[in-house]
Amino acid sequence: MVETKEETYHGIWFLPNSQITVMGHLTVTDFIIELHLTDPNNRKLSEEEAASVNEELRYPVIYGLGNYGEKITLYDCSGVIDIFNAKLMLYGDEYYSAFNEQKFKILGVHIPTFDGWISSDSFFFKNSYKSAGFSIEYTAPEKLKMALSDSLDINIDFECFQPSTENRNKITLHEFALVNFIAKDAEGIHISEFMKYLLYFQQLVSFLSKDGANVSAARVYTSVEQYTRNKFLGTMVYGGVPFNKFEYPLQDRHRKYLVSRADVDDGLEAFFGKWFSFAAEGQHILKLIFLDYFFRGAFDENNFLNLIRVLEIYHIYMFPGKLMPDTDFKIKLGEIIAGVPDAHKKEVKEHLAFKNELNLDQRLTKLFSEVENGKLGFDYTYDETFKRKVKQSRNYYTHYNPNLKAKAAAGEELEALTLACRALINYLILKHLGVPKEVLRKRFEYYIESSYYSNYFL
């Protein structure tokens, strides 16, 4: 999480368990925090390094003081000899503190263009005389405030900065949501707890927009008073990016959303609450979904199989259960095994061990029943024919049995099957979040799934 593409800090660095201070420079980019130590006397930096030059060294914390008095703390550092990578960096007054001692009251982050989820008419263009050009007024959406948990609130404010420029033909407006996670405890909470909620929020925005919810700045504050004095002068947090590690230029963002705030207006707090609960418990599901969103493979078979995994695991998450109670199944299995010759008991027992689990057919049947009338718009029908084709294709591409090839989907048919699976998981999650039935019906009436992947070439 950085404000600029690259920053370099020159100064002196203090290594733990050592009296040595070493000169060096720190480079911070969107992807790395890298410290290069440049000891002018070429001294050994520690006895540990002298013992084994090529072994990786780990420091829980390294402190630095820049040439201009910048106070820098690096956490979870690893490297060899004189080059170290850090996973997290604090830039500011919170200095000389161990990571597990760091507690803050507020974490504030900037999420670009999130006001589009709230309102599509934030900007108002005011015509004027030709000689004067025109003016633009920004009307910020109403602030959002709600509880995320017993220990944390979220406040979302909106800002828009127009940079000074003499170019009247092209003006870039910096438009962003200022998202603040506020600890209810007077002492604050640990930064790792804040990061967890930041991850969930980024994932929400990216799921809704099919776009990268990159954080352009992150700051922590020890008190509400510190934040009130200047909300742009907290201790900067670099690194530790919990989700997105890729850049989407603003001009490439379509600013489209699966649903908008107006669609869930009456149940906004419940919508957020369900998402944060889902994100906390179902990261394994979300990671598969975002793998498909942002890192989709070149092979249609892999994309299809990944989405089938998503649907199966989502069913397990939403509808946990088995064919019969475990105790009953154990009795039944015992009765079957009792009649098997001793030479084959182990083999049969292993073969039947998971027969109490629901199969793909049963899971799909339940998921399809969640779709109103079994259809999404004009293009996607979830019936027995569709289910049969999904099963036949999954079995073929998983086991690759030549005897199954004739019944498996391929080419355009497989692509259509994959698109329908993507539409289905989007629908099911929105329904789980409490989006009203009439909104879902309208949203998916003319749903063209691929048009919402603004940063993936088809």
Side-chain angles (χ1 to χ4, degrees):
M1 291 169 287
V2 295
E3 286 188 299
T4 55
K5 288 293 182 184
E6 181 173 322
E7 289 285 355
T8 301
Y9 302 95
H10 299 272
I12 56 174
W13 305 88
F14 306 86
L15 303 180
N17 304 319
S18 171
Q19 300 301 314
I20 298 176
T21 60
V22 185
M23 295 176 64
H25 62 272
L26 177 73
T27 301
V28 182
T29 73
D30 289 331
F31 303 100
I32 62 167
I33 303 170
E34 191 171 79
L35 175 63
H36 290 253
L37 299 177
T38 54
D39 184 359
N41 298 317
N42 197 29
R43 295 174 298 183
K44 293 295 182 184
L45 301 179
S46 70
E47 293 180 2
E48 185 179 3
E49 288 174 314
S52 180
V53 173
N54 294 320
E55 282 190 10
E56 183 181 58
L57 301 175
R58 289 189 171 275
Y59 293 118
V61 60
I62 295 177
Y63 304 110
L65 191 63
N67 287 348
Y68 299 99
E70 307 101 321
K71 296 178 180 178
I72 298 171
T73 310
L74 305 176
Y75 292 108
D76 198 359
C77 308
S78 60
V80 178
I81 305 288
D82 56 359
I83 300 178
F84 293 88
N85 288 306
K87 291 186 178 178
L88 190 75
M89 166 184 163
L90 294 184
Y91 175 94
D93 293 336
E94 305 307 319
Y95 189 59
Y96 284 126
S97 298
F99 184 68
N100 58 6
E101 297 174 2
Q102 293 282 5
K103 283 192 173 181
F104 298 96
K105 183 69 176 176
I106 297 175
L107 170 69
V109 296
H110 298 169
I111 303 289
T113 69
F114 186 59
D115 59 343
W117 186 71
I118 309 295
S119 171
S120 60
D121 56 358
S122 300
F123 290 102
F124 175 71
F125 291 83
K126 185 183 292 184
N127 292 323
S128 186
Y129 295 104
K130 289 184 179 180
S131 59
F134 62 88
S135 63
I136 303 174
E137 292 183 2
Y138 177 73
T139 303
E142 182 182 353
K143 296 180 182 180
L144 301 180
K145 181 178 181 180
M146 65 197 77
L148 292 181
S149 69
D150 294 337
S151 60
L152 204 68
D153 288 336
I154 184 172
N155 288 1
I156 305 178
D157 200 355
F158 302 92
E159 299 278 356
C160 182
F161 294 146
Q162 179 178 325
S164 57
T165 177
E166 295 182 358
N167 185 346
R168 301 206 172 195
N169 296 320
K170 185 176 182 181
I171 299 175
T172 301
L173 299 170
H174 298 299
E175 168 195 1
F176 61 88
L178 181 53
V179 181
N180 293 310
F181 300 93
I182 305 171
K184 296 180 182 180
D185 191 303
E187 294 184 0
I189 61 175
H190 194 272
I191 192 170
S192 61
E193 188 74 8
F194 275 127
M195 288 295 191
K196 199 165 61 175
Y197 281 90
L198 173 56
L199 164 63
Y200 303 159
F201 187 83
Q202 282 184 283
Q203 290 177 328
L204 171 62
V205 179
S206 289
F207 172 72
L208 291 174
S209 66
K210 301 293 182 296
D211 223 338
N214 291 318
V215 172
S216 60
R219 297 176 174 86
V220 283
Y221 306 82
T222 54
S223 67
V224 174
E225 292 72 24
Q226 182 191 13
Y227 176 82
T228 304
R229 283 196 300 271
N230 193 323
K231 59 187 176 183
F232 299 111
L233 282 182
T235 296
M236 285 295 303
V237 181
Y238 292 82
V241 179
F243 176 48
N244 288 335
K245 294 184 178 180
F246 35 76
E247 281 292 327
Y248 285 143
L250 290 177
Q251 63 269 23
D252 290 342
R253 296 183 180 183
H254 287 194
R255 305 187 185 185
K256 295 179 179 178
Y257 291 88
L258 287 170
V259 292
S260 68
R261 185 262 173 90
D263 295 326
V264 294
D265 194 44
D266 293 336
L268 183 63
E269 189 159 345
F271 177 85
F272 269 77
K274 287 180 179 178
W275 173 267
F276 277 84
S277 176
F278 175 54
E281 299 167 0
Q283 276 298 302
H284 53 304
I285 303 170
L286 286 176
K287 286 177 180 177
L288 286 172
I289 290 173
F290 290 123
L291 177 69
D292 183 70
Y293 279 4
F294 302 122
F295 301 99
R296 196 180 306 168
F299 299 101
D300 294 338
E301 297 88 343
N302 291 343
N303 300 327
F304 168 73
L305 291 174
N306 180 66
L307 285 164
I308 296 304
R309 281 203 301 161
V310 173
L311 291 170
E312 284 191 283
I313 299 172
Y314 180 78
H315 177 273
I316 296 170
Y317 169 78
M318 286 297 299
F319 309 103
K322 298 184 180 181
L323 293 174
M324 64 178 68
D326 284 335
T327 52
D328 294 347
F329 178 73
K330 188 174 181 180
I331 293 172
K332 183 176 181 179
L333 183 61
E335 293 173 349
I336 296 172
I337 296 299
V340 175
D342 291 343
H344 305 296
K345 282 185 185 293
K346 182 180 179 182
E347 180 183 354
V348 173
K349 188 174 182 179
E350 289 177 352
H351 178 72
L352 298 177
F354 298 100
K355 289 299 182 180
N356 199 29
E357 304 289 340
L358 278 71
N359 58 33
L360 178 60
D361 185 290
Q362 293 159 328
R363 297 191 192 283
L364 290 176
T365 298
K366 176 59 179 174
L367 293 180
F368 290 176
S369 72
E370 294 292 300
V371 180
E372 187 178 11
N373 299 321
K375 295 188 68 175
L376 294 182
F378 298 103
D379 296 321
Y380 308 121
T381 300
Y382 303 96
D383 55 13
E384 287 298 319
T385 301
F386 180 85
K387 183 170 61 175
R388 184 167 55 253
K389 183 58 69 172
V390 166
K391 290 189 301 177
Q392 291 170 340
S393 303
R394 197 284 299 264
N395 291 340
Y396 172 64
Y397 290 117
T398 299
H399 305 297
Y400 220 71
N401 184 339
N403 296 328
L404 304 175
K405 184 175 182 180
K407 295 181 179 180
E412 292 184 1
E413 186 181 23
L414 179 61
E415 184 178 349
L417 212 62
T418 304
L419 291 174
C421 289
R422 286 199 188 103
L424 178 61
I425 191 63
N426 286 336
Y427 177 92
L428 292 171
I429 291 178
L430 290 175
K431 183 177 181 180
H432 171 60
L433 296 177
V435 177
K437 184 186 297 185
E438 58 274 15
V439 172
L440 287 175
R441 188 184 302 121
K442 184 178 180 180
R443 173 65 187 85
F444 284 86
E445 185 176 8
Y446 298 103
Y447 183 79
I448 302 174
E449 185 274 335
S450 60
S451 69
Y452 285 84
Y453 293 86
S454 57
N455 291 282
Y456 180 79
F457 59 92
L458 295 173

